[in-house]
Amino acid sequence: MTNCPTLIVTVGLPARGKTYISKKLTRYLNWIGVPTKEFNVGQYRRECLKIYKSFEFFRPDNEEGLKIRRQCAMAALNDVRQYLSVEGGQVAVFDATNTTRERRGTIVKFAEQNGFKVFFVESVCEDPDVIAQNIVQVKLDSPDYIHCNTEEAIEDFMKRIKCYESSYQPLDEVLDRDLSYIKIMDVGRRYLVNRVLDHIQSRIVYYLMNIHITPRSIYLCRHGESDLNIKGRIGGDSGLSARGEEFAKRLRKFIQDQNIKDLKVWTSQMKRTIQTAECLGVPYEQWKSLNEIDAGVCEEMMYEEIQEHYPLEFALRDQDKYRYRYPKGESYEDLVQRLEPVIMELERQENILVVCHQAVMRCLLAYFLDKTADELPYLKCPLHTVLKLTPMAYGCKVESVYLGVDSVNTHRDRPEVGIPSSTQKCLSADDVDNLNPLQV
């Protein structure tokens, strides 16, 4: 993305959603292929202290507390340096309050010394309901309050916030005009963006301006079983089988029983998803971006046929399924890039049903469940099953609902790594030496 690694620095009082933002941003950047890692200073403090006693630790006149917190911040920054300078990371997210101009100046100096760009993300929220909701949803489950009752924990955390308020210096349009930052006000009601310097910062801003915290559910399913599914052939644009049509009818009943408010339905532009959605009896929107992965010259072939006619290609795909690109077709890596606008719009929406395809569903699922590129191509997305995703504070709850209609199993397990000897016999020595997973 950029030759110069980026250090994202959160700013804001406790219970303003900084960790929520940090985790979502880390998940998104990793999904689009930018190696990113989060460094939560609070976790360093817990590892250092082991036992949290009370808000007194955070009092501005607690010299011992200030010393420990400073040490924890520096330990986290040292790990940031290791990740960005040695381990090949491209983005580090430094998740802490960073409420004083002095602390932010220290971070900027650290970044300059190490050749990192800095981008600040400040979350400002004055809505007491949002703050209270955040405390209840997230902070009460913190290890800090594992031995407290709810009332004691809330009271202590409110006092902890007060400890920060007296010294909080928000990012200022004049004093901080030379810094790159986005200021998010009241969880996305307003934004202030200043000095976006490169492509990665632009992507970060665009993403953060699309996410929201409104409770909702995302339903993912594949089309009903198709005629080509029954024949064991990949890709193509065939219609539904009799069992696929039965699934579509049961999907309609399932959705009706869920009684979902203002549900939107998306499909691909391929027959099998459209025929599935037609049975629902509700409006739906077709997305070309949701079309199944393009298998190129292997469209409508069986895996056994691919192995016979294209043994090298078959072996290369088994070696690196995520990056392997079908001749004249696509790779999973290509598919993720194609689906990024879909993810952006999914983040903007509320309740939605996406009727899609196996490879597409794997990519979407990997985003929401924070799966690696290595795991993504082998996620199980069976036919005639609906996955209900409910975004939570720091993750996603998944419920799998099988609608009771038999179908073929199109999942292919991860093969043993290595090129089979039968394939190697078909290759010259040069071929084996020059295997290229992205060969077209």
Side-chain angles (χ1 to χ4, degrees), residues 123-151:
S123 180
V124 180
C125 183
E126 305 300 335
D127 187 330
D129 292 337
V130 172
I131 296 168
Q133 184 182 30
N134 193 14
I135 292 173
V136 171
Q137 283 186 352
V138 179
K139 303 305 178 184
L140 297 189
D141 291 332
S142 163
D144 291 346
Y145 297 113
I146 200 163
H147 299 300
C148 293
N149 65 42
T150 300
E151 290 74 21

Side-chain angles (χ1 to χ4, degrees), residues 32 49 99 111 127 141 154 167 186 220 229 239 244 250 271 273 281 310 337 340 342 377 418 422 425:
I32 62 172
L49 275 182
T99 46
D127 187 330
D141 291 332
I154 291 174
S167 59
D186 289 326
L220 300 179
N229 286 150
R250 297 215 187 171
K271 285 179 191 173
T273 63
Y310 302 103
Q337 300 304 317
E340 189 184 1
V342 176
S422 59
K425 290 174 185 175

Side-chain angles (χ1 to χ4, degrees), residues 148-166:
C148 293
N149 65 42
T150 300
E151 290 74 21
E152 290 172 342
I154 291 174
E155 182 183 0
D156 183 86
F157 198 84
M158 293 304 291
K159 287 178 180 175
R160 191 196 291 196
I161 294 174
K162 289 288 183 188
C163 291
Y164 282 93
E165 286 179 341
S166 59

Side-chain angles (χ1 to χ4, degrees), residues 224-226 230 240-249 384 405-409:
E225 179 188 72
S226 72
I230 292 175
L240 298 182
S241 69
R243 293 189 301 197
E245 290 172 355
E246 179 60 27
F247 164 74
K249 293 172 185 173
H384 301 173
V405 181
D406 287 343
S407 66
V408 295
N409 177 14

Side-chain angles (χ1 to χ4, degrees), residues 204-235:
I204 291 165
V205 167
Y206 182 52
Y207 179 73
L208 292 177
M209 291 180 72
N210 279 283
I211 63 176
H212 66 81
I213 59 169
T214 306
R216 43 75 176 265
S217 290
I218 297 161
Y219 297 83
L220 300 179
C221 74
R222 293 171 63 187
H223 52 81
E225 179 188 72
S226 72
D227 293 329
L228 284 177
N229 286 150
I230 292 175
K231 295 173 183 175
R233 298 187 176 277
I234 65 172

